[in-house]
Amino acid sequence: MSVFQLVIHSADEPFYDGACKSVTVPTEEGLIGVWAHHSPMVAGVVPGILTMTMPDDTKQQLVVSEGMIKIHDNEVNVLVDALERPEDIDANRAKRAADEAKEQMLQKKSYAEYLEAEADLKRAINRMKASARR
């Protein structure tokens, strides 16, 4: 199977720059799978789990936040605000964050604060899912 160049950056540091067989990314339209020679596109990344298949067929998962993906000339660039490896996630802390976000959503606050709490809840749920998978 062919490979492509995958570049993943979070807001504060580069994470990966190398060959990849496939990558599955959570986008606004749902999960998209990318393989070598994928047609060019740009899409918004939403909080979720990104899965990479490396050239040796090992898989690596990352919990990602909002960002974007750009595919062009057999190169895939993923830029996200934050990312974590599942093994680095504290499941108890993620559960507490989810509970706090739910509480914030129930309080009568502005629409912007509600959306922020909703985003926090989605991130915490994705962190818990990734932590449970490992």
Side-chain angles (χ1 to χ4, degrees):
M1 180 180 272
S2 297
V3 297
F4 58 90
Q5 187 70 17
L6 176 62
V7 180
I8 301 175
H9 280 269
S10 67
D12 56 351
E13 66 181 330
F15 175 77
Y16 181 79
D17 187 347
C20 187
K21 270 189 173 178
S22 70
V23 63
T24 304
V25 181
T27 70
E28 295 167 340
E29 292 78 32
L31 283 175
I32 63 163
V34 180
W35 290 266
H37 310 291
H38 193 284
S39 58
M41 70 174 280
V42 175
V45 174
V46 296
I49 299 172
L50 177 148
T51 305
M52 304 183 300
T53 303
M54 309 313 285
D56 64 358
D57 288 327
T58 60
K59 291 189 185 287
Q60 184 173 0
Q61 291 188 325
L62 301 171
V63 177
V64 296
S65 65
E66 301 83 15
M68 64 180 300
I69 180 172
K70 175 186 170 195
I71 305 166
H72 190 271
D73 286 341
N74 215 35
E75 182 173 310
V76 177
N77 289 283
V78 179
L79 307 169
V80 292
D81 290 334
L83 59 84
E84 293 178 279
R85 290 183 176 97
E87 58 268 18
D88 295 336
I89 295 172
D90 179 344
N92 292 327
R93 186 170 154 236
K95 173 79 169 98
R96 284 191 307 272
D99 292 341
E100 288 172 16
K102 287 177 189 176
E103 181 62 34
Q104 289 296 317
M105 290 173 70
L106 292 174
Q107 294 179 7
K108 305 288 187 216
K109 294 193 175 192
S110 72
Y111 185 64
E113 290 171 321
Y114 177 86
L115 292 177
E116 185 177 332
E118 184 179 46
D120 291 344
L121 178 59
K122 288 177 183 177
R123 181 169 185 253
I125 289 170
N126 284 316
R127 294 177 77 230
M128 290 187 306
K129 284 180 186 177
S131 178
R133 286 184 182 176
R134 64 176 179 105

